[in-house]
Amino acid sequence: MDLPPTRIAAVMASVRARINARSYVPGMRLPSVRAQAKALQVSVSTVVEAYARLVAEGVISSRPGAGFHVNGPVAPLALSGIDPPRDRQVDPLWLARQSLEHDARVLKPGCGWLPEDWMYVEGIRRGLRSAARASATSLADYASPLGLPPLRQLLARRLAGQGVDAAPEQILLAESGSHAIDLICRFLLQPGDTVLVDDPCYFNFLALLKAHRVQVVGIPYTPNGPDVAAFGAALQAHSPRLYITNSGLHNPTGAVLSPVTAHRLLTLAEGSDLVIVEDDLFADFEHSPAPRLAAFDGLSRVIQIGSFSKTLSAAVRCGFIAARPEWIDALADLKIATSFGGGRLAADILLTALTDSGYRRHVETVRTRLAAARGVTLDRLATLGIQPWIVPQAGMLLWCRLPDGLDAAAIAQRSLADGVVLAPGNAFSPSLGATGFLRFNAAQAQDTRVFEVLARAMRG
């Protein structure tokens, strides 16, 4: 339940409302503290604090001896919030913007993260309390170039559990998983280079690679991993610099890389300049670890990245890169050049949460809940004639085929008008060959309204 606004917040809201209504225009002097207190029937100290906060926000300014005055340009007459355009082309950025809108009334079975009440919020709270008691250095200073040593040591132990041998000095902390990929792209790519991705792949790979002005070539994905023959042909035809993929719990399909496919991929890559980036952010959802390219390769040509936004918190951003030492050294220089010291506080909070005794229980509970949610979601989709491409072993994602003749983008647009964000297939497909697919998040699809809206949208 929302708490009533404080008196200070009420005074601030009153001033903002008058500015928006243009009763207070730029340069105009506000009523004195005493006059405002009398008009709003609050104490003088309340108005003093409200004005001070508005000054800190840049809404008003204080002029010694001349009171408080309104800052900024004249407020526009149209006062409604500016939402992302809903009729724009349905592409990766359309999906990202709709998913990131924070309207509690909107259902988001197309987004790629857990509902907030599934996340390890209590562990993050404990991390925040621990951070609040830390030294001033921890709260105020920059992080070291590679990032918090105890967190890197923990990550080295976690990677060892997947068969990936990485010393803490081979691990670089980043601001997020996306930041990790961006650093790698800045390090290894030039405009015009070719990058291989899975088809379908995580939609933000496509948006990020577009920003780096490279050529993207999709490799058809199978239930056992990328199509090996297509991968070999692309190596010969395009001399790609990077291949970006997921090995465990592929996004969006939920498939798992097989050992045979992993071996064949690495064999094909021998003798080329290809670097493989293995995005491993869903590792904690697995019941048993899938094969990792980084483990087979020994971090020679494979770089592994990860983050904790899917299991711990998307609000406390921290990712990592594990790679061979000389690459980590160069990436650390690039990190300093682009973000200087990085997020020390986020690393402290995550370290506390990950080493908390409750984290293991949290992950086990989430796995159990996801198994149940997948079953319920698949049953409800089946009643609409929507079938899974495969039934995943674990995780939250379901890659599903619509009945013949239906266009996922059109269905997503109609559903959005009814307050449901879906994820149409072509947002994930570099070849735009997934017109008849939708990606569902089982954890976000537990409200029956999702399927009521979907049914209407399918009827047109």
Side-chain angles (χ1 to χ4, degrees):
M1 181 181 296
D2 293 335
L3 296 175
T6 65
R7 289 184 174 85
I8 295 169
V11 172
M12 294 172 70
S14 175
V15 172
R16 289 196 194 94
R18 288 178 176 270
I19 292 172
N20 289 337
R22 302 199 294 184
S23 298
Y24 294 163
V25 297
M28 179 178 175
R29 181 176 178 176
L30 294 179
S32 70
V33 169
R34 292 188 180 279
Q36 191 75 278
K38 182 177 181 181
L40 298 178
Q41 297 184 329
V42 295
S43 69
V44 169
S45 62
T46 295
V47 177
V48 168
E49 179 63 20
Y51 278 10
R53 294 186 187 184
L54 289 168
V55 168
E57 292 179 4
V59 176
I60 64 176
S61 59
S62 173
R63 300 179 186 176
F68 295 88
H69 293 72
V70 178
N71 289 338
V74 176
L77 288 174
L79 303 177
S80 60
I82 301 176
D83 291 327
R86 296 191 170 196
D87 57 352
R88 62 180 282 177
Q89 180 184 0
V90 176
D91 60 12
L93 292 176
W94 177 93
L95 178 54
R97 292 185 64 174
Q98 305 301 341
S99 297
L100 289 168
E101 282 298 302
H102 293 286
D103 186 338
R105 297 167 297 179
V106 174
L107 303 175
K108 300 179 180 180
C111 80
W113 53 86
L114 295 175
E116 62 186 36
D117 59 348
W118 287 49
M119 302 292 269
Y120 193 38
V121 174
E122 187 52 44
I124 295 298
R125 287 198 175 105
R126 281 196 282 270
L128 286 165
R129 289 194 292 268
S130 176
R133 296 190 296 268
S135 67
T137 300
S138 297
L139 294 172
D141 207 352
Y142 289 108
S144 60
L146 295 186
L148 186 69
L151 181 54
R152 290 188 289 109
Q153 291 162 6
L154 174 64
L155 291 172
R157 293 193 295 270
R158 287 167 59 92
L159 289 172
Q162 299 169 359
V164 179
D165 185 12
E169 294 74 27
Q170 288 180 260
I171 298 173
L172 172 72
L173 300 187
E175 301 299 308
S176 65
S178 295
H179 180 229
I181 294 183
D182 186 44
L183 284 175
I184 294 166
C185 288
R186 289 172 185 262
F187 173 49
L188 292 173
L189 296 179
Q190 296 291 331
D193 283 349
T194 297
V195 177
L196 305 183
V197 298
D198 300 323
D199 191 355
C201 67
Y202 171 44
F203 64 82
N204 208 45
F205 291 166
L206 301 176
L208 179 60
L209 292 171
K210 182 178 180 180
H212 282 278
R213 296 181 292 168
V214 297
Q215 177 186 359
V216 175
V217 174
I219 305 300
Y221 209 76
T222 79
N224 296 313
D227 183 293
V228 174
F231 183 84
L235 282 179
Q236 294 295 320
H238 301 286
S239 299
R241 187 70 181 104
L242 283 184
Y243 168 47
I244 305 177
T245 188
N246 313 113
S247 295
L249 300 182
H250 179 261
N251 185 359
T253 67
V256 172
L257 181 70
S258 74
V260 171
T261 301
H263 175 72
R264 289 176 177 172
L265 288 179
L266 292 172
T267 300
L268 286 169
E270 288 179 2
S272 73
D273 292 328
L274 182 74
V275 176
I276 299 173
V277 179
E278 186 172 48
D279 185 3
D280 200 30
L281 76 168
F282 293 116
D284 280 354
F285 292 142
E286 293 178 291
H287 295 288
S288 58
R292 295 299 195 271
L293 292 167
F296 288 122
D297 172 74
L299 293 179
S300 175
R301 72 170 65 248
V302 177
I303 299 173
Q304 189 172 100
I305 70 167
S307 77
F308 304 97
S309 59
K310 300 300 185 284
T311 55
L312 274 170
S313 169
V316 182
R317 306 289 281 160
C318 185
F320 68 88
I321 301 171
R324 62 198 208 192
E326 64 270 27
W327 287 356
I328 288 295
D329 189 56
L331 286 164
D333 285 347
L334 187 56
K335 174 186 169 183
I336 291 170
T338 56
S339 63
F340 210 69
R344 177 170 182 159
L345 187 58
D348 278 327
I349 293 168
L350 287 175
L351 177 63
T352 300
L354 286 168
T355 54
D356 185 276
S357 62
Y359 181 66
R360 181 183 295 275
R361 292 192 299 274
H362 160 72
V363 170
E364 290 172 352
T365 298
V366 168
R367 290 171 186 160
T368 301
R369 293 181 73 180
L370 282 174
R374 287 195 304 274
V376 170
T377 302
L378 288 171
D379 287 345
R380 288 172 173 170
L381 290 172
T383 64
L384 300 177
I386 300 174
Q387 297 297 323
W389 182 69
I390 63 166
V391 177
Q393 301 172 13
M396 68 181 87
L397 302 179
L398 299 168
W399 182 241
C400 295
R401 183 181 287 107
L402 292 165
D404 288 345
L406 293 182
D407 185 308
I411 289 172
Q413 291 280 24
R414 290 195 288 268
S415 297
L416 185 60
D418 276 344
V420 173
V421 177
L422 296 176
N426 277 351
F428 303 85
S429 175
S431 68
L432 301 181
T435 301
F437 283 83
L438 286 167
R439 186 193 74 177
F440 290 92
N441 179 341
Q444 297 275 8
Q446 297 306 290
D447 192 313
T448 56
R449 290 175 295 168
V450 167
F451 304 94
E452 294 166 3
V453 168
L454 179 56
R456 288 197 297 271
M458 290 172 65
R459 293 194 295 269

